[in-house]
Every structure is written in structure tokens, then in C-alpha cells.
Amino acid sequence: MSLKGIRTNDKHIKNLANIVEGNRSILYKKEDLLAYDCDGFTIHRRLPRAVVFPNNTEEVAKIVKYCHEHDLPFLARGAGTGLSGGAIPLNGEVIISLVKMKRLISVDFENRRAVVEPGFVNLKLTNSISDKGYYYAPDPSSQYCCTIGGNVGENAGGAHCLKYGVTTNHILGLEVVLPNGEVIEIGKDGIPDAPGYDLLGLLTGSEGTLGIVTKITVRILKNPEAKQTVLAYFDNVADGSQAVSDIISAGIVPAALEMMDQIAIEAVEAAAFPVGHPKDIEALLLIEVDGISAGIDEQIHQILEVCKRNHVREVKVAQSEEERARWWANRKTGFGAMGAISPDYLVQDGVIPRSKLPEVLNRIHEISREYGLRIANIFHAGDGNLHPLVLFDARKPGETEKALKAGSACLQACADAGGSITGEHGVGIEKREEMRFIFSDEEIAAQTDIREVFNPKNLLNAGKLFPTPGRCLEVKKEEKSVTAS
Amino acid sequence: MSLKGIRTNDKHIKNLANIVEGNRSILYKKEDLLAYDCDGFTIHRRLPRAVVFPNNTEEVAKIVKYCHEHDLPFLARGAGTGLSGGAIPLNGEVIISLVKMKRLISVDFENRRAVVEPGFVNLKLTNSISDKGYYYAPDPSSQYCCTIGGNVGENAGGAHCLKYGVTTNHILGLEVVLPNGEVIEIGKDGIPDAPGYDLLGLLTGSEGTLGIVTKITVRILKNPEAKQTVLAYFDNVADGSQAVSDIISAGIVPAALEMMDQIAIEAVEAAAFPVGHPKDIEALLLIEVDGISAGIDEQIHQILEVCKRNHVREVKVAQSEEERARWWANRKTGFGAMGAISPDYLVQDGVIPRSKLPEVLNRIHEISREYGLRIANIFHAGDGNLHPLVLFDARKPGETEKALKAGSACLQACADAGGSITGEHGVGIEKREEMRFIFSDEEIAAQTDIREVFNPKNLLNAGKLFPTPGRCLEVKKEEKSVTAS
């Protein structure tokens, strides 16, 4: 039987194909599925059962209901740029790809909000509203291709989140298909601070384990009247770190405050967007301030003073929008640039109190020596969000495992410094065990119990986010009362 | 038997008294309990079974465990300033008063955070750190006496939340006693954006139904370099509303943007802090901008221009900190000032899209005429958070009910305009039924299911926040699958 040209004996694939309007509704052949066996975290791979491409909420709900009724594991996928493996079909899931749901539904300039479908690309939103003087703040480095639905799932950050906050601070409403196929709306009409429990916050950053977002109301911001960007080169990391600290202490809230270390500079200068950074400096700061023109000059003056006080070798202010854009392209392609100096790399994502920056960077250098692997650092210094990039060669036996261990050791260092194991990339499958660095069993159980409410059959993106499979609520309660008495 | 001088036959009271160190550990006599029969929402009253005063987390956990084991309803209470009845012992609860837990545990200026006990008074935090140039942003009008624990429960707002966000944006970590007495920590060491589900957001604003907060890590902010305050008088509300809209459209984010209408002005001028507002104007705006000095003057200039363009009758800039403080005292005591012109008042708390301001204010005037009750408006115009104050006389038969209905009609108007039924006062017992204005049965069930996870016996603050008692998870799921098939 050939339905829509589909040739397979898998009745579920035929039935799922039938749910979706149009012809390019499903992929199921091995050669087509290969592109979906991992996301931006490429170290683990598994083929999905199929990839379905719904056109609208109704179709998503029908697909989910079908999976729910037939006990088929399933998960949602946006652009697949996630860095912690959240979209990898660990259990041979049916992948629900949201790339066809990419409409900008509406923009309400007066009340500063826009409604998009989950497959809408992050940067397209800013591009669509910039002529009216507005933009969308969260700017992950992958913003030219990542989707806002994926950003919601991972609570994505970005360089400018220091001043403007991460994705969760910009989400006003969600339409969600629950794991049983029911559709609910959260954050009615985009009004913030709705009564009741903060389901908006709960869903945002839940890494696709509680529901599938099908419509998103986001906050849009008025473009700042002015922005200025500073590039500063330091001979040593300690001076650069102190400058970061001093800028914040001065009461300045930069829009962005990024740092790159020497290995990172080597990589970005060898890659697609070199800007001529000196290669013998230990640290580079990229600092941006924005706001009303009158205040900017004074802030830039203060920043230059702070840099000088901390023995900066060279510091300059971008002289044109073109120069600013080049500096940012150099920074934002930094992860990919590692390819220019290493066959493989593993990016980590830890958070530390800003004051612990020098201490933790030292520890990362030690880890690098211990494991005999180079570790580059490109990161959001202003909010203490580190990105150690462990360079390795997967072709060498055992080196992948060594890289994973070195990455984990970096996260342990962050946790030991009173920090956290992810700032914006999520836990996915990559950091499941590292959750134990910061959460007790009880604290993890409090979370898996919540998953149980939304996702009782655990068919939706199972095996992600937590170190152990969620235990049944009732069993847990019994176990506890036994130990308590 | 007299234990700590306690004379009662209620063994639970004796046992609870024994849990708490020291002598002033429990109240149980009717005359003592009278002060605890309501909170800032005085329309419903009920006596608690007892009021216990624990000294530390351990004692709170023991009290909770005792209540859990003996099926005693219980709830937590801070200063009792809540405006929606969240701390009223509807079921004759054991009240756990947190007023003795009022320590400022630590301040970490470098990483901008402080740790407090739940009974610590909001304003005391700013007072404790202001000499170092820091402050705590959320500023409910009751900040001189309300507690930060209570602020977390209600996700309290305040005049300056327009720019700085409500309580949830300033909470970095919580220690929580769960309804079974277990203690968990959320937001380890105050590092924001922790992985896993956003339990911090979930607990904040959960109105004391998911757990009792015993330690709170909050964000502290550097004092702005400068602030300036503008007072503007408008002959009619439409012009005032348009000015609000124009200020925001100009890209200015004021720290505060408050409005009062004619009846409100009559009240504040008749009360404790008159400042000589003309009584024949229809609207007053109180606008504050803060930031670095260099930018402030330019913003003030723009604001004055906007006011003039919108036919302001008179506009002035505060000439001293003393003048600014007087204007704010006049505004912040506005609710209480109603006592000067009415025996009783009911304050409501709706949120609307800013663009709907004139339309909804008109509707509130209609409601006032329909019910024959005066309604004053004092509100956070910048973020569309209305506070209609329904004036009534409880001694007149039926007038309380009429006031409640008029208040509810105001919330219906907000919901109809695409808004919400509470911005910062919470739902409590006051707005339980109004939850239906904005949530479907499924959306309410998604929330009560979460309560079920934390609070399965529903002993903690039962009967609040939701229109119907939470249904059992399993029963609900069965019901659903039956209707679905």
C-alpha cells in the first residue's frame, strides 16, 4: 500500500502521515532520519522512528494524542541547535519537527508584544520589527537559525542577557500541547504576572519535557537610542577579571560584557571572521553599553578608566556600526571557530558568582593540565556564565571520554564555587548526572514529581534533564514515610 | 497541667508549644486569637486554632510535620498585610507566624545578594544596606511593615516595579519547608537560572499553598546615581492616559509611573499627608526616572514635553529629596487615606494592556454608577496595573455585598480587555471565583495538579487561590480518558 507515496510496514508511520496535511509530512527512511540523530550536542546519536512536520496546533495535538494512545515515545524539535542533547531521540522517538510552524502571527507595538509560532527563527523577529524601532532581546549566538520555540524549551540566553535577562524574562504567554494532546493557554493574552502558579516560568526552560509549545507571546523592546562598544586587551586574565568586577561595582549595567581567553582568540583569529586581535594577550573584553545618548558617553568614559586602572594593553571604542558588527561576528561565531584549531570540541556552560571568576578560571587551567586537553574560554563574564570549550580529537581512542570528564570537572568547579551547571544550554542528556552536583535527591524528586503531573506516561522526551527516571508519586510518598518513621 | 503556663485541654496546642523554644511560643486564647482572624482583607474573618511562633527552620519543620501527621490544617503568616485574604484561617488553621524569624542573615555586596529570614521587614533591607549604596527594589506600599516572606508568597509588586520588576525578578534562592515537613533548598546559593524546572518561580507567588519559605536569597541593586520626580496635573483622564502612553512610546522606562484620579486625590488630601493637589483635576501623574545623572535631565525634558503636548494643567519637578519624599508618602498611603472619605473600602487589583487604559477607566465609571458606589483609582499606570477602590459603608445592609460585586465587575472589565485579575495582591479567598474569568477548567486543573504534588493532603492553606478544590490526579486522568474516548 502506498499512501502519500509512503512505503513501509509501520502502521504508525502511515497513521501519523495521515494526520498532517500536505505531502512533505513525514520522514521515515533511514537516510532521511540520519540528519535527526543528534542536535548541537553531537557526542550521542540515535535514529528517531520518524520525523513528522505538522502545520498547526491542531495537527500537533493530534500527533501527540496518537502517540499518547499508542504509547509511542515522542519529542519536539526546532532548529536542532541545542547544545546539551535535548532533541536527541534517546528512545527512538517520533520527532515532531516544528519548522513548518514559522509564522509571525501578530505584532502589537503599543503593548510591546508579538506572537510567533515555535518554528519562527529568533533573529527574524528583530529583523521584522526593526524598521519600527523595536527588537527582541534574547540573542543566543545561534540566533540567525535557532527557533524561538527551542529558546523557550532551553530558556536560552545570549550576550545581551546581562542587562535584559534570559528568555524567561521575555515570555508573556504560551499555547502548549500537553503530553496527552490537550491544549492549554498560559499567560492569557500576554498579560504578565497572571494569578495562580507561574506555569509560564515552569514551562520555560523545561527542556521539552512538560509539553510542546505551539504559540508564543514575547515581549518586544524599543531599540535603545544609542549603543557603544568597547574592545579591551589585557596581558593577563586577572586584570581582565578585575576590570569586569570594577565595571559592575561602578554601578554600570552593560548590555553585554564578554570575555575571551588566549586559546579562544587563537581560534577566532584562525576562523571566518578575524579582526586582528593580538595573539599574545591573555584576555579580551568586549563591552557594550546602550541607553539614551546623553548617558552613554559618561559610561564609556568610566569603562575606559576602569580598563586603564587594570593595566589594559590597548582599549578602543567601535568607530562605526560596521566595526561593531565585525567585533560581534568574531565573538558570536567563537564556538564554531574552534574547528579551525581542533578536530572536535565540547562546549560547557557553568555559572559562578562573579567574584569567583579568577579562582574558577585557574581551576579550569588545572583541569586542562590534568587531562592533557586544551580548554578555551569564551563567556558572558558580566553574569558569571562560563563556557569552557574542551578541545579534543574524537579519532584518538578514549579522547572523547576524557573530554567529557574534563567538561564535567569544569562543572564541578563551578558548583564548588557556589555556582550552577548550566546558564543557558540546558541539561539535556549531557549534564544529567551533574545535576547531583547541585541538587539533593529530595530536590530532584520535587522536580520529577512535577514532570509526573504533566507527563505521567513519560513518553515525552524521556530520559532527559534528570539523573534518574522520575519515580511514581505514590511510591515515593510511601518510601518517605517509611524512612521518616 | 500547666506547661509554659498553658491552660487548655487541647493536647495539640500543648504539643505545638513544646516544639518551640522559649516562652512566647503560642497563642490560643480567644482574645489573643482575635488579632489573627483576618489579614488586610477584612471582609471575611475566622479564628485560627492557635498561633505558633517558631524561632528557626527546624522548629517550622517540626510544627509542619506535627500538623501533617495529625491532619491539622495550617498556614504561614508574615505581617498580615496581604490584601486578598491569603492568611485568613478559613478552616480554623494553626497559624505559623514567622515574625520571630526576622534576621538579616548575610549580605554579599560583591555578588549583589542578601539572605534574609521570612519575617524580615521589606524596608529594613534597604535601610540596612543603603549606607553602602545599595537597595532592594520591590516596594509595596506596605513596605514599612510587610515581610519579605509575605512578599514572596504574594509575588508582591510596588510603584517601582515598572522598571525593576516584581518580587519574582529579585528572588535568587529559597529554603522551603514542604507541607510534609521536609526542607528543600531551591536556587542553590542564589545563582540564578538554575537547571531543571523553575521551582523558584513556581513557589514565588504561590500564595502559601505549596510550602513555607524559611530563608530567602534576594538580589540587591546599586542605588541609581540620580533620580528625579515629576508631578503632573491633568484636567481630564484621557489626557493623563495619553501622556502615560506617550512616555512609554518615547522609549523612556520610568522607575515609576503612577496615576491617581479625582476621588483618590480628594482622599489623600483629606488624610495624613496632604501636599496641596488641586481638587478639581481629573488625573494626577507621579513619574520618577532614575539612572546615571547625564541621562536623567534629557528624560525629564522629554517627559515635560509629553505632558505639555497632552494639555497638562501644571507640571513640576521635585526640587529636593524632602519634596520627593512628601509626594511619595502622599501616594503610598493612598489606600489607607480612603478612610478619610469613606467608612469602608475594598481595593481591587486588575491588570490591563496599557493601551486599554481610557476604555477600562470609562467602564469602571459605569460600574460605579450601576452600583451607586464611588470608585477611586490609584494605580501603577505604567504597567497597566489598576487599583479601583470601591468605597462603601458596611453598616448599611447589603452594601458590602454590593461592593464585592462592583469589585468583581471591575475585574471582569480588566479580563474582557485582555487583562488579568491581579497584578500584585494575589487571589487569596477574595478572587477565587474570578479565576474563571481568565482560566479554563483545564488550565485550573493544571495548577491544582501541581498543588497536589506539593500538598497532597491539602492541609496547607486549603481553600485559597482556586475556585474549586483540587481534584485527585488519578481521578481526573480517568475522567479525562473517559470523555476523550
Side-chain angles (χ1 to χ4, degrees):
Chain A
M1 174 177 132
S2 156
L3 177 72
K4 290 184 176 184
I6 287 170
R7 291 165 195 280
T8 169
N9 292 323
D10 186 336
K11 69 167 179 177
H12 293 312
I13 288 180
K14 291 177 191 162
N15 292 337
L16 287 167
N18 264 339
I19 290 173
V20 179
E21 282 288 320
N23 265 325
R24 297 196 53 247
S25 58
I26 197 161
L27 297 176
Y28 60 93
K29 294 180 194 154
K30 193 181 169 196
E31 62 268 29
D32 292 328
L33 298 180
L34 279 172
Y36 295 87
D37 70 351
C38 73
D39 56 14
F41 182 68
T42 57
I43 290 175
H44 293 265
R45 293 175 188 268
R46 167 121 193 227
L47 287 185
R49 180 179 199 135
V51 186
V52 207
F53 297 88
N55 298 288
N56 50 49
T57 304
E58 206 190 341
E59 289 180 357
V60 174
K62 281 184 186 165
I63 294 165
V64 169
K65 203 163 273 173
Y66 185 89
C67 291
H68 178 73
E69 278 166 12
H70 296 87
D71 288 328
L72 304 179
F74 61 101
L75 59 80
R77 180 183 169 109
T81 54
L83 290 165
S84 55
I88 297 178
L90 271 188
N91 314 288
E93 271 86 354
V94 170
I95 290 183
I96 301 174
S97 166
L98 297 162
V99 292
K100 281 190 184 171
M101 293 173 62
K102 57 178 181 184
R103 283 187 308 145
L104 170 58
I105 298 172
S106 63
V107 184
D108 173 357
F109 290 105
E110 200 168 7
N111 294 300
R112 303 265 169 103
R113 55 202 194 193
V115 183
V116 301
E117 288 187 324
F120 192 68
V121 166
N122 175 300
L123 189 58
K124 276 197 178 169
L125 179 51
T126 293
N127 290 345
S128 307
I129 56 181
S130 62
D131 58 334
K132 294 263 175 36
Y134 290 83
Y135 75 111
Y136 175 62
D139 63 336
S141 292
S142 56
Q143 69 179 136
Y144 62 93
C145 64
C146 68
T147 64
I148 294 183
N151 296 167
V152 171
E154 301 296 321
N155 190 17
H160 291 77
C161 293
L162 171 57
K163 179 166 178 178
Y164 293 103
V166 292
T167 300
T168 195
N169 303 113
H170 299 271
I171 301 300
L172 299 173
L174 295 173
E175 179 186 79
V176 183
V177 177
L178 296 177
N180 62 2
E182 208 174 88
V183 182
I184 63 169
E185 252 190 284
I186 307 174
K188 213 69 176 182
D189 291 303
I191 286 291
D193 307 319
Y197 302 140
D198 180 14
L199 298 188
L200 261 189
L202 189 65
L203 268 289
T204 307
S206 61
E207 305 199 10
T209 64
L210 300 182
I212 298 179
V213 165
T214 46
K215 209 159 72 181
I216 305 156
T217 306
V218 300
R219 190 192 307 279
I220 57 175
L221 299 181
K222 189 97 177 163
N223 281 339
E225 194 180 300
K227 60 179 83 161
Q228 287 205 38
T229 310
V230 172
L231 189 57
Y233 301 131
F234 293 87
D235 285 318
N236 66 69
V237 170
D239 286 338
S241 302
Q242 191 57 48
V244 169
S245 205
D246 290 355
I247 289 166
I248 304 286
S249 298
I252 298 169
V253 184
L257 207 179
E258 302 283 298
M259 195 189 273
M260 282 198 247
D261 72 1
Q262 194 161 17
I263 304 178
I265 293 166
E266 179 192 333
V268 295
E269 286 300 303
F273 299 96
V275 299
H277 301 312
K279 287 183 188 158
D280 60 336
I281 51 166
E282 263 186 29
L284 162 169
L285 291 184
L286 183 60
I287 310 156
E288 190 158 280
V289 288
D290 66 15
I292 47 170
S293 315
I296 295 283
D297 291 342
E298 170 58 23
Q299 289 187 53
I300 289 291
H301 174 74
Q302 284 186 50
I303 288 169
L304 297 180
E305 287 303 309
V306 164
C307 288
K308 281 175 201 157
R309 211 159 56 230
N310 287 292
H311 323 106
V312 71
R313 182 198 291 188
E314 186 189 345
V315 60
K316 49 190 175 185
V317 182
Q319 295 304 308
S320 64
E321 176 54 32
E322 187 272 331
E323 188 171 32
R324 177 187 166 269
R326 270 196 302 127
W327 292 356
W328 274 113
N330 176 274
R331 159 64 188 88
K332 288 216 170 185
T333 55
F335 291 179
M338 295 300 142
I341 62 167
S342 172
D344 297 284
Y345 68 93
L346 172 74
V347 55
Q348 269 306 357
D349 172 41
V351 183
I352 53 169
R354 215 161 26 224
S355 62
K356 301 285 177 71
L357 207 49
E359 173 187 326
V360 175
L361 288 175
N362 272 339
R363 175 70 194 123
I364 291 174
H365 285 146
E366 276 172 31
I367 292 167
S368 167
R369 280 194 299 275
E370 281 165 27
Y371 288 86
L373 295 172
R374 300 177 81 196
I375 303 182
N377 286 288
I378 301 187
F379 57 99
H380 312 311
D383 39 18
N385 185 187
L386 299 184
H387 291 312
L389 293 131
V390 184
L391 309 186
F392 68 102
D393 184 346
R395 294 164 305 187
K396 293 190 190 165
E399 199 154 298
T400 304
E401 291 66 33
K402 216 157 66 166
L404 286 167
K405 279 186 190 160
S408 184
C410 291
L411 295 183
Q412 181 77 66
C414 293
D416 290 347
S420 167
I421 59 162
T422 176
E424 53 187 15
H425 296 175
V427 173
I429 59 174
E430 182 195 19
K431 282 172 263 188
R432 287 173 298 187
E433 291 309 316
E434 283 78 3
M435 288 286 272
R436 297 192 197 278
F437 294 171
I438 51 171
F439 290 117
S440 70
D441 283 351
E442 286 72 24
E443 288 156 359
I444 289 169
Q447 300 185 56
T448 51
D449 286 353
I450 288 178
R451 181 179 59 185
E452 179 79 12
V453 170
F454 284 83
N455 190 5
K457 283 179 143 186
N458 204 15
L459 293 171
L460 175 59
N461 214 5
K464 308 285 170 71
L465 193 50
F466 300 110
T468 46
R471 289 168 295 169
C472 166
L473 180 65
E474 290 317 308
V475 173
K476 203 202 93 201
K477 291 279 143 61
E478 277 169 31
E479 280 174 1
K480 274 188 185 165
S481 56
V482 170
T483 31
S485 62
Chain B
M1 175 177 132
S2 158
L3 176 74
K4 293 179 174 185
I6 286 171
R7 293 166 194 279
T8 168
N9 291 322
D10 186 337
K11 68 167 181 178
H12 293 312
I13 289 178
K14 291 177 190 162
N15 292 337
L16 287 167
N18 263 339
I19 291 174
V20 179
E21 284 287 322
N23 264 325
R24 296 198 53 246
S25 58
I26 197 161
L27 297 177
Y28 59 93
K29 292 180 196 154
K30 192 179 170 197
E31 62 269 31
D32 293 327
L33 298 181
L34 278 172
Y36 295 88
D37 71 351
C38 72
D39 56 14
F41 182 70
T42 58
I43 291 175
H44 294 265
R45 294 176 187 266
R46 168 124 192 223
L47 287 185
R49 181 178 198 136
V51 186
V52 207
F53 298 87
N55 298 289
N56 51 49
T57 303
E58 206 188 342
E59 289 180 358
V60 174
K62 281 184 185 163
I63 294 165
V64 169
K65 203 163 272 173
Y66 185 89
C67 291
H68 178 73
E69 278 164 12
H70 295 86
D71 289 328
L72 304 180
F74 62 101
L75 60 81
R77 181 184 168 108
T81 54
L83 289 165
S84 55
I88 297 178
L90 272 189
N91 315 286
E93 271 86 353
V94 171
I95 290 183
I96 302 173
S97 166
L98 297 160
V99 292
K100 281 191 184 170
M101 294 173 62
K102 57 177 181 186
R103 282 187 310 144
L104 170 57
I105 298 172
S106 64
V107 184
D108 173 359
F109 289 106
E110 198 167 7
N111 294 301
R112 305 264 170 102
R113 54 202 197 195
V115 183
V116 301
E117 288 188 325
F120 192 68
V121 166
N122 175 302
L123 189 59
K124 275 197 178 168
L125 180 51
T126 292
N127 289 345
S128 306
I129 57 181
S130 63
D131 58 334
K132 293 264 176 35
Y134 289 83
Y135 75 111
Y136 175 61
D139 62 335
S141 292
S142 56
Q143 67 178 141
Y144 61 93
C145 64
C146 66
T147 65
I148 294 184
N151 295 167
V152 171
E154 300 296 322
N155 189 17
H160 291 77
C161 293
L162 172 56
K163 180 168 179 178
Y164 293 103
V166 293
T167 299
T168 194
N169 303 115
H170 299 270
I171 301 300
L172 299 173
L174 294 174
E175 179 186 80
V176 183
V177 176
L178 296 178
N180 62 1
E182 205 174 272
V183 182
I184 64 169
E185 250 190 283
I186 307 174
K188 214 69 178 185
D189 291 303
I191 285 292
D193 307 318
Y197 301 140
D198 179 15
L199 298 188
L200 261 190
L202 189 66
L203 267 289
T204 307
S206 61
E207 304 198 13
T209 64
L210 300 183
I212 299 179
V213 166
T214 47
K215 207 158 74 181
I216 305 156
T217 306
V218 300
R219 189 192 307 281
I220 57 174
L221 300 181
K222 188 99 178 164
N223 281 339
E225 194 180 297
K227 60 180 83 161
Q228 286 205 37
T229 310
V230 172
L231 189 57
Y233 300 132
F234 293 87
D235 285 317
N236 66 70
V237 170
D239 286 337
S241 302
Q242 191 58 48
V244 170
S245 206
D246 290 354
I247 289 167
I248 304 286
S249 299
I252 299 168
V253 184
L257 207 179
E258 303 282 298
M259 195 189 272
M260 282 199 247
D261 73 0
Q262 193 160 18
I263 303 178
I265 293 165
E266 180 192 333
V268 294
E269 286 300 301
F273 300 95
V275 299
H277 301 312
K279 288 182 188 159
D280 60 336
I281 51 166
E282 261 186 31
L284 161 169
L285 291 185
L286 183 61
I287 310 158
E288 190 158 281
V289 288
D290 65 16
I292 46 171
S293 315
I296 294 282
D297 291 341
E298 170 57 25
Q299 289 187 55
I300 289 290
H301 174 75
Q302 284 186 50
I303 288 168
L304 298 180
E305 286 303 308
V306 165
C307 288
K308 280 174 200 157
R309 212 160 52 231
N310 287 291
H311 322 107
V312 71
R313 182 197 291 189
E314 186 188 346
V315 59
K316 48 190 175 183
V317 181
Q319 295 303 307
S320 65
E321 176 55 31
E322 186 271 332
E323 187 171 33
R324 177 186 167 269
R326 270 197 301 126
W327 292 356
W328 274 113
N330 176 274
R331 159 64 188 89
K332 289 214 170 187
T333 54
F335 292 179
M338 295 301 142
I341 62 167
S342 174
D344 297 284
Y345 68 94
L346 171 74
V347 55
Q348 268 307 354
D349 173 40
V351 183
I352 55 168
R354 213 159 30 220
S355 62
K356 301 286 179 71
L357 206 50
E359 175 187 326
V360 175
L361 288 176
N362 272 339
R363 175 71 194 122
I364 290 173
H365 285 148
E366 277 171 32
I367 292 166
S368 166
R369 281 194 298 274
E370 281 164 27
Y371 288 87
L373 295 172
R374 298 177 84 196
I375 303 182
N377 287 287
I378 301 188
F379 58 99
H380 313 312
D383 39 19
N385 185 188
L386 299 183
H387 291 314
L389 293 131
V390 183
L391 309 186
F392 68 102
D393 185 346
R395 296 163 303 187
K396 293 190 188 162
E399 198 154 300
T400 303
E401 292 66 34
K402 213 157 65 166
L404 286 167
K405 279 187 190 159
S408 184
C410 291
L411 295 182
Q412 181 76 65
C414 293
D416 290 347
S420 168
I421 58 163
T422 175
E424 54 187 14
H425 297 175
V427 173
I429 59 173
E430 182 196 20
K431 282 172 263 187
R432 287 174 297 187
E433 291 310 314
E434 283 78 3
M435 287 286 271
R436 296 193 195 279
F437 293 171
I438 52 170
F439 290 117
S440 69
D441 282 352
E442 286 71 24
E443 288 156 0
I444 288 169
Q447 300 184 57
T448 51
D449 286 353
I450 289 177
R451 180 179 60 186
E452 178 79 14
V453 169
F454 285 83
N455 191 6
K457 283 179 145 185
N458 205 15
L459 293 171
L460 174 59
N461 215 4
K464 308 285 171 71
L465 193 51
F466 300 110
T468 46
R471 290 169 294 167
C472 166
L473 181 64
E474 291 315 310
V475 173
K476 203 203 95 202
K477 290 279 141 61
E478 276 169 32
E479 278 174 14
K480 275 190 188 165
S481 56
V482 171
T483 31
S485 61

